[in-house]
């Protein structure tokens, strides 16, 4: 179990992590979600004592990280940034970590086998591909057979096979009753692996909820209706007891709590012309975008400093995308969503490139 | 018990990278080769030297002539042992495994210092015996007054210069920055400060100027140092302690 209490990190004027309070519970995969730069890595670094919190507290099984005896046997961490001396072999890298925590040499062989690096154990880490480097990092995390595992963006830059492998590993570790805490900036990744979700933006806690709950709350399904006689359509819906109707910015109506068939029949009954009748499902990615867009908005106006939130000035460039995100409806990838995907693709191809290069 | 584990871990680290081998090998080879060369030249030109120089001829110190250059390899060794942790990112793995930063830093330095001391002694004794063999009739014997102290002190000097570099590297973190300051300082600046009359009063208290006093057997009449061989080494040791305290404070208080 990891408990954060008002955890705060300030770099000069910038508040990287802002009073985070949540608990990572054992036996499940907890996803730690937020856009790049939201403070995920900083939070994880504070959890294992690499960075000192400006304020607040984080405890591992009730104790501070520095007070853990043989910390690798409590918590294993895969950090985003490389943490290996390239001139040292994979075996010696793991051996020196094992020795410092009284972990037997045989365990080094075991974890090398687990991550599939036995054949290159004596090779220098310098020559490792992105995927092999990631596996070495995971081997180090597993070294002490810890009850808690922490992975910072573990699938970044990996090929599909590597991604698949990591997903299964995390599920297996959680199934063994371990605490798994994994960060990502991809909602789709979290939806596949996480049972519980912690969302942050600009260092602030935005959501702390179970995955099914998050899906239920955020994947809104509705029917989009467009009619030349919009007022009449509205009255018709009202009359039929369909009250959850919102007018979208493009002039269509969005009706919730009913299905397209019933609405079509209703319109036909009253001889109303429909130009559009389409069932819609807002994706989790959209829900996440909207959730974090607010924090981006907040950041854009107040420069990251604590201050009043002004959500209405939307003219500045960084905020333009947020307006679009607010108006996003399902099936139409709005501008920020496209950017999001583009960033993801870029990283993916970057990862492949580095694999080829090595 | 925990400390023993960390020492063992640091020993694995230090023996498993190539920079350890080539820096230490370079320290031995450069010191011995240059010392040998200068010993040969000295023997061949001994009769042409001024009377003053012949009168206060110090064969032990002559055989150590390569140390000025050899110590630079020791400095590189000391800097790399510490700063490689930062430049490679290994520090994050290391501190996750050993979160007590004082234990981490001083275990690392203890292991590296011990290794530097062993190599320093090999270098010092090697340079002495090789140099004396080449000096012919002008040679000194290890049994002569003050000679054993000087040779032993030479080994200590090499180890201390390495540890000093480790402390500086722990403060500065960057290998390039550390080497960029230490190399020119010990190779050029310190020599200028210690040999120019105007600055000698200050220069003689610099770590290498004070520390190298222990390697001299014969005191020249123009010697103005207010300390003896061990006093000089103590001054050097004080510098080393100061560097280590600085390094400790930095690692203790800064984010990794």
């Amino acid at each position: 179990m990891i408990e954060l209490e008002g955890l705060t990190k300030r770099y000069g004027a910038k508040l990287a992590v802002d009073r985070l309070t949540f608990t990572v519970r054992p036996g499940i995969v907890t996803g730690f979600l937020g856009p790049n730069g939201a403070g995920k890595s900083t939070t994880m670094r504070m959890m294992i004592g690499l960075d000192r919190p400006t304020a607040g507290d984080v405890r591992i099984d009730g104790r501070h990280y520095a007070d853990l005896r043989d910390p690798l046997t409590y918590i294993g961490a895969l950090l985003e940034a490389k943490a290996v001396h390239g001139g040292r072999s994979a075996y010696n890298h793991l051996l020196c970590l094992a020795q410092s925590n009284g972990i037997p040499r045989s365990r080094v062989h075991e974890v090398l086998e687990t991550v599939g690096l036995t054949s290159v154990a004596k090779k220098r880490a310098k020559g490792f591909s992105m995927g092999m480097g990631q596996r070495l990092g995971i081997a180090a995390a597993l070294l002490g057979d810890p009850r808690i595992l922490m992975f910072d963006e573990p699938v970044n830059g990996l090929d599909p096979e590597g991604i698949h492998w990591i997903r299964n590993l995390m599920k297996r570790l959680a199934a063994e009753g371990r605490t798994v805490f994994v960060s990502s900036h991809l909602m789709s990744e979290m939806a596949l692996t996480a049972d519980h979700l912690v969302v942050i933006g600009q260092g602030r806690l935005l959501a702390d909820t179970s995955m099914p709950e998050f899906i239920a709350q955020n994947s809104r399904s509705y029917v989009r209706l467009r009619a030349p006689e919009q007022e009449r359509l509205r009255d018709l819906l009202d009359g039929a007891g369909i009250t959850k109707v919102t007018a979208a910015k493009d002039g269509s109506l969005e009706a919730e709590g009913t299905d397209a068939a019933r609405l079509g029949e209703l319109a036909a009954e009253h001889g109303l012309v429909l130009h559009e009748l389409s069932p819609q499902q807002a994706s989790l990615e959209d829900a996440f975008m909207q959730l974090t867009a607010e924090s981006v908005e907040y950041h854009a106006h107040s420069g990251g400093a604590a201050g009043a939130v002004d959500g209405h000035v939307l003219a500045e460039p960084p905020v333009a995308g947020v307006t679009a995100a607010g108006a996003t409806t399902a099936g139409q990838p709005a501008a920020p969503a496209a950017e999001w995907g583009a960033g993801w693709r870029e990283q993916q191809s970057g990862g492949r490139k580095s694999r080829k290069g090595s | 018990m925990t400390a023993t584990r960390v020492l063992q871990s640091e020993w694995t680290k230090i023996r498993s990278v190539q920079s350890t081998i080539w820096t230490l090998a370079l320290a031995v080879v450069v010191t011995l080769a240059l010392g040998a060369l200068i010993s040969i030249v000295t023997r061949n030109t001994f009769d042409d030297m001024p009377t003053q120089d012949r009168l206060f001829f110090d064969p032990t110190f002559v055989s150590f002539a390569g140390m000025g250059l050899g110590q630079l390899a020791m400095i590189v060794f000391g800097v790399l042992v510490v700063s490689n942790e930062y430049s490679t990112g290994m520090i994050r793995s290391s501190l996750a495994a050993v979160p007590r930063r004082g234990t981490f830093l001083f275990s690392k330095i203890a292991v590296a210092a011990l290794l530097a001391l062993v190599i320093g002694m090999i270098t010092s004794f090697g340079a002495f015996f090789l140099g004396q063999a080449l000096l012919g009739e002008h040679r000194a014997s290890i049994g002569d007054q003050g000679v054993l102290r000087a040779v032993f002190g030479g080994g200590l000097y090499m180890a201390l210069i390495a540890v000093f570099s480790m402390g500086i590297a722990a403060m500065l973190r960057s290998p390039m920055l550390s080497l960029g300051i230490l190399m020119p300082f010990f190779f050029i600046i310190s020599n200028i400060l210690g040999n120019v009359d105007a600055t000698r009063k200050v220069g003689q208290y610099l770590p290498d100027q004070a520390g190298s006093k222990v390697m001299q057997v014969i005191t020249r009449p123009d010697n103005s140092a207010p300390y003896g061989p061990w006093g000089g080494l103590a001054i050097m040791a004080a510098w080393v302690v100061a560097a280590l305290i600085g390094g400790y404070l930095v690692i203790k208080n800064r984010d990794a």
Side-chain angles (χ1 to χ4, degrees):
Chain A
M1 187 143 85
I2 312 172
E3 294 157 291
L4 288 78
E5 182 122 10
L7 197 66
T8 301
K9 181 71 184 181
R10 181 186 286 279
Y11 294 111
K14 190 182 180 293
L15 209 51
V17 175
D18 190 1
R19 289 163 288 159
L20 279 188
T21 300
F22 63 88
T23 299
V24 183
R25 282 171 298 139
I28 55 169
V29 178
T30 298
F32 191 32
L33 192 63
N36 287 328
K40 300 188 298 293
S41 294
T42 307
T43 303
M44 288 180 143
R45 289 158 56 83
M46 285 192 282
M47 285 178 173
I48 56 167
L50 293 180
D51 287 4
R52 185 191 297 262
T54 310
D57 204 22
V58 53
R59 286 168 186 269
I60 314 292
D61 288 343
R63 278 189 283 172
H64 287 125
Y65 191 82
D67 297 331
L68 296 175
R69 196 187 143 79
D70 300 330
L72 297 184
T73 61
Y74 286 86
I75 177 165
L78 170 76
L79 295 175
E80 193 182 9
K82 199 167 68 78
V84 179
H85 188 308
R88 202 170 275 132
S89 71
Y91 176 77
N92 280 324
H93 172 68
L94 295 173
L95 180 64
C96 72
L97 295 177
Q99 286 172 329
S100 66
N101 276 246
I103 298 162
R105 206 173 271 255
S106 58
R107 179 67 187 160
V108 174
H109 293 287
E110 271 175 41
V111 292
L112 280 166
E113 193 68 47
T114 307
V115 301
L117 286 180
T118 305
S119 60
V120 291
K122 300 283 178 190
K123 293 230 162 64
R124 288 201 248 163
K126 207 182 293 185
F128 282 13
S129 68
M130 189 102 173
M132 287 158 81
Q134 205 75 332
R135 281 165 191 256
L136 180 56
I138 289 170
L142 296 175
L143 202 54
D145 195 19
R147 300 302 299 160
I148 306 173
L149 284 139
M150 196 159 93
F151 302 107
D152 193 4
E153 302 273 2
V155 301
N156 250 8
L158 289 188
D159 58 9
E161 193 213 332
I163 292 173
H164 185 71
W165 181 78
I166 292 206
R167 278 184 198 148
N168 286 337
L169 178 77
M170 287 191 294
K171 283 181 183 162
R172 203 172 74 219
L173 292 167
E176 289 167 4
R178 295 176 214 260
T179 308
V180 179
F181 187 57
V182 54
S183 80
S184 177
H185 60 279
L186 298 173
M187 183 67 222
S188 53
E189 185 57 38
M190 291 288 93
L192 283 167
T193 41
D195 307 304
H196 192 88
L197 202 60
V198 173
V199 186
I200 65 166
Q202 293 303 322
R204 297 183 144 208
L205 189 68
L206 299 178
D208 181 1
T209 167
S210 80
M211 199 70 207
E213 215 172 294
F214 185 82
I215 291 171
Q217 279 175 4
N218 291 291
S219 58
R220 187 169 72 102
S221 63
Y222 58 93
V223 180
R224 182 186 298 149
L225 293 156
R226 207 187 293 271
E229 297 173 87
Q230 224 217 49
E231 282 312 308
R232 221 189 119 203
L233 175 62
R234 252 212 125 111
D235 293 342
L236 201 62
L237 294 172
D238 264 351
I242 301 159
T243 48
K244 277 186 95 179
V245 180
T246 45
K249 285 194 177 124
D250 62 355
S252 65
L253 292 178
E254 294 173 355
E256 285 176 63
T258 179
D259 60 22
R262 186 168 164 231
L263 290 170
E265 283 158 16
L266 193 69
E269 245 172 65
H270 293 84
L272 187 80
V273 176
L274 288 182
H275 284 173
E276 185 178 352
L277 172 67
S278 57
Q280 303 282 341
Q281 174 102 33
S283 72
L284 286 177
E285 204 74 51
D286 289 334
F288 169 53
M289 282 299 306
Q290 289 198 27
L291 195 60
T292 54
E294 282 159 26
S295 74
V296 172
E297 190 178 70
Y298 168 75
H299 174 62
H301 294 300
S302 60
V309 182
D310 178 4
H312 298 290
V313 188
L314 297 171
E316 294 159 50
V319 180
V322 174
T323 321
T328 297
T329 45
Q332 295 178 333
E339 272 166 36
W340 202 275
W344 177 75
R345 277 190 293 277
E346 198 178 279
Q347 268 174 8
Q348 289 297 96
S349 67
R352 272 198 294 278
K353 218 176 288 164
S354 77
R355 264 184 81 85
K356 256 179 230 159
S358 53
Chain B
M1 174 163 168
T2 310
T4 323
R5 289 173 174 179
V6 182
L7 288 170
Q8 200 185 11
S9 161
E10 288 300 330
W11 171 243
T12 299
K13 278 187 196 171
I14 209 166
R15 67 169 176 76
S16 60
V17 290
Q18 288 192 325
S19 59
T20 304
I21 296 158
W22 66 254
T23 48
L24 293 178
L26 206 61
V28 179
V29 170
V30 166
T31 309
L32 261 62
L34 196 62
L37 188 72
I38 289 175
S39 297
I40 293 169
V41 172
T42 306
R43 182 175 68 173
N44 292 339
T45 58
F46 189 83
D47 295 334
D48 307 329
M49 292 201 303
T51 324
Q52 180 83 352
D53 283 359
R54 274 183 284 163
L55 217 54
F56 294 98
F57 183 65
D58 188 343
T60 310
F61 198 58
V62 166
S63 63
F64 290 154
M67 281 210 184
L69 203 58
Q71 70 174 356
L72 297 185
M74 276 301 202
I75 291 169
V76 178
F77 166 73
V79 165
L80 291 187
V81 158
V82 173
S83 63
N84 267 350
E85 289 269 353
Y86 292 97
S87 61
T88 61
M90 180 69 192
I91 187 76
R92 289 184 282 268
S93 296
S94 298
L95 290 182
V98 186
R100 291 174 190 242
R101 298 185 174 194
T103 308
F104 163 73
L105 181 68
F106 289 116
S107 298
K108 175 180 287 298
I109 290 178
V111 169
L114 196 66
L115 187 58
L117 183 64
V118 171
I119 299 298
M121 287 297 171
I122 292 171
T123 309
S124 185
F125 277 87
F128 174 79
F129 286 114
L130 183 64
Q132 301 318 309
L134 295 169
L135 277 169
E137 75 239 45
H138 310 295
R139 70 171 163 264
S141 157
I142 193 82
D144 293 350
Q145 165 127 42
V147 170
L148 186 60
R149 178 262 296 160
V151 179
F152 193 71
L156 284 176
Y157 174 87
M158 289 294 251
L160 284 174
I161 205 94
V163 180
F164 181 73
S165 307
M166 293 172 210
I168 298 292
M171 281 194 265
L172 301 176
R173 297 182 169 204
S174 151
M176 280 306 133
L177 185 62
S178 307
L179 290 175
I181 289 174
L182 288 171
M183 300 283 263
F185 180 81
F186 282 118
F187 197 57
I188 304 164
I189 298 168
S190 161
N191 281 319
I192 294 170
L193 293 178
N195 288 307
V196 173
D197 286 334
T199 54
R200 185 171 297 156
K201 270 199 155 35
V202 181
Q204 66 194 0
Y205 290 104
L206 292 172
D208 58 330
Q209 297 286 327
S212 58
K213 179 86 174 150
V214 79
M215 293 184 268
Q216 294 172 19
V217 177
I218 313 286
T219 307
R220 293 178 64 100
D222 57 357
N223 169 63
S224 63
Y227 48 76
W230 292 117
L233 203 71
I235 291 170
M236 187 186 192
W239 279 93
V240 172
V241 169
L244 291 181
I245 291 172
Y248 171 72
L249 290 177
V250 169
I251 198 172
K252 185 89 186 154
N253 294 311
R254 276 184 62 180
D255 288 342

